Amino acid sequence: RRWGTPEELAETDFRSPSAMIDSSDEVIIELSHKADPLCAEDGKPLPKGHTNGKLPIALAEELAYALRQIVHEHIEDKHLSTAYASASETARTASGDCTEHAVLLAAVLRARGIPSRVCHGLVYVEQGGSAIDGQVHVDASGNVDPAGGRLTGQYGWHMWTQALIAGKWIDLDATLHLPFTVGHVLVGTSSMADKDAHNNHMQMAALIGNLEITVHDVSHSFER
């Protein structure tokens, strides 16, 4: 988490619908309200008739994490064949990769009054795993089936979402099974507003194949 800048806090693009994050779509709105029962099950029911964006911090965070879970479960067909679908298209097809997960989560967050943006960067995946679905691939015998026969993890290009709650950006990954890990490396963010979505992703494309990661230190100790 990190504090939003004054410019980010005032930016209306994080709250408004766009061609890609079309949060005013009726299917998006319907999907966003499926989070309410999850909040109630966790013992944090949302007040009836609450105004979007006006929830107490704890309930707003509960809603954001519930929406992440809703999107994770809603997109059942996880694959790379979709070029780049809008949130409303993904809500209807329930298919796509990390880009569709990120855009759809940003849309349902905005539909509930929570400012959002998409993030692009790298994510670390354990041996035999996939950044598309977070699943470890196994062979017929149930053994991990690493790519190229190497039992090592790897970084892959990835997209996820951030929600702006109480002035802080909270990272939420709807693709993987965990909302966020230390293996996420942020490269850039975008409101996906119509005026700048294309340029932001062209900047990301220029980095592909041109980054190196150097490990300076490894530690397994835990400090509070």
Side-chain angles (χ1 to χ4, degrees), residues 63-75:
L63 175 58
Y65 280 101
L67 289 169
R68 187 210 74 88
Q69 185 66 26
I70 289 295
V71 171
H72 177 74
E73 295 176 354
H74 181 75
I75 301 180

Side-chain angles (χ1 to χ4, degrees), residues 151-219:
L151 295 176
T152 58
Q154 62 184 351
Y155 277 96
W157 285 97
H158 193 52
M159 283 183 64
W160 64 95
T161 314
Q162 288 181 340
L164 184 61
I165 298 176
K168 289 184 178 180
W169 290 106
I170 299 176
D171 292 276
L172 300 166
D173 192 331
T175 307
L176 305 183
H177 292 282
L178 295 176
F180 192 67
T181 72
V182 295
H184 286 74
V185 179
L186 180 65
V187 173
T189 63
S190 173
S191 67
M192 297 298 291
D194 297 335
K195 65 179 182 292
D196 64 6
H198 178 74
N199 291 334
N200 280 319
H201 290 285
M202 285 299 97
Q203 294 171 4
M204 179 185 71
L207 296 173
I208 297 177
N210 294 312
L211 290 179
E212 292 184 357
I213 296 177
T214 302
V215 178
H216 291 282
D217 186 35
V218 176
S219 173

Side-chain angles (χ1 to χ4, degrees), residues 42-188:
D42 286 343
K44 296 181 180 179
L46 303 180
K48 293 183 179 181
H50 76 273
T51 303
N52 281 352
K54 301 297 182 182
L55 288 171
I57 296 174
L59 288 183
E61 289 191 6
E62 180 74 15
L63 175 58
Y65 280 101
L67 289 169
R68 187 210 74 88
Q69 185 66 26
I70 289 295
V71 171
H72 177 74
E73 295 176 354
H74 181 75
I75 301 180
E76 296 179 333
D77 185 12
K78 302 178 189 293
H79 58 76
L80 288 168
S81 61
T82 303
Y84 206 159
S86 67
S88 60
E89 181 181 347
T90 302
R92 288 167 170 81
T93 63
S95 66
D97 57 26
C98 62
T99 60
E100 282 71 41
H101 286 76
V103 168
L104 180 55
L105 179 52
V108 293
L109 284 163
R110 292 184 193 180
R112 299 304 297 268
I114 299 176
S116 65
R117 64 187 182 187
V118 299
C119 306
H120 56 265
L122 301 167
V123 68
Y124 181 80
V125 180
E126 290 290 351
Q127 57 185 40
S130 168
I132 303 172
D133 57 15
Q135 296 292 317
V136 172
H137 298 161
V138 296
D139 59 22
S141 300
N143 300 312
V144 171
D145 183 19
R150 294 176 298 172
L151 295 176
T152 58
Q154 62 184 351
Y155 277 96
W157 285 97
H158 193 52
M159 283 183 64
W160 64 95
T161 314
Q162 288 181 340
L164 184 61
I165 298 176
K168 289 184 178 180
W169 290 106
I170 299 176
D171 292 276
L172 300 166
D173 192 331
T175 307
L176 305 183
H177 292 282
L178 295 176
F180 192 67
T181 72
V182 295
H184 286 74
V185 179
L186 180 65
V187 173

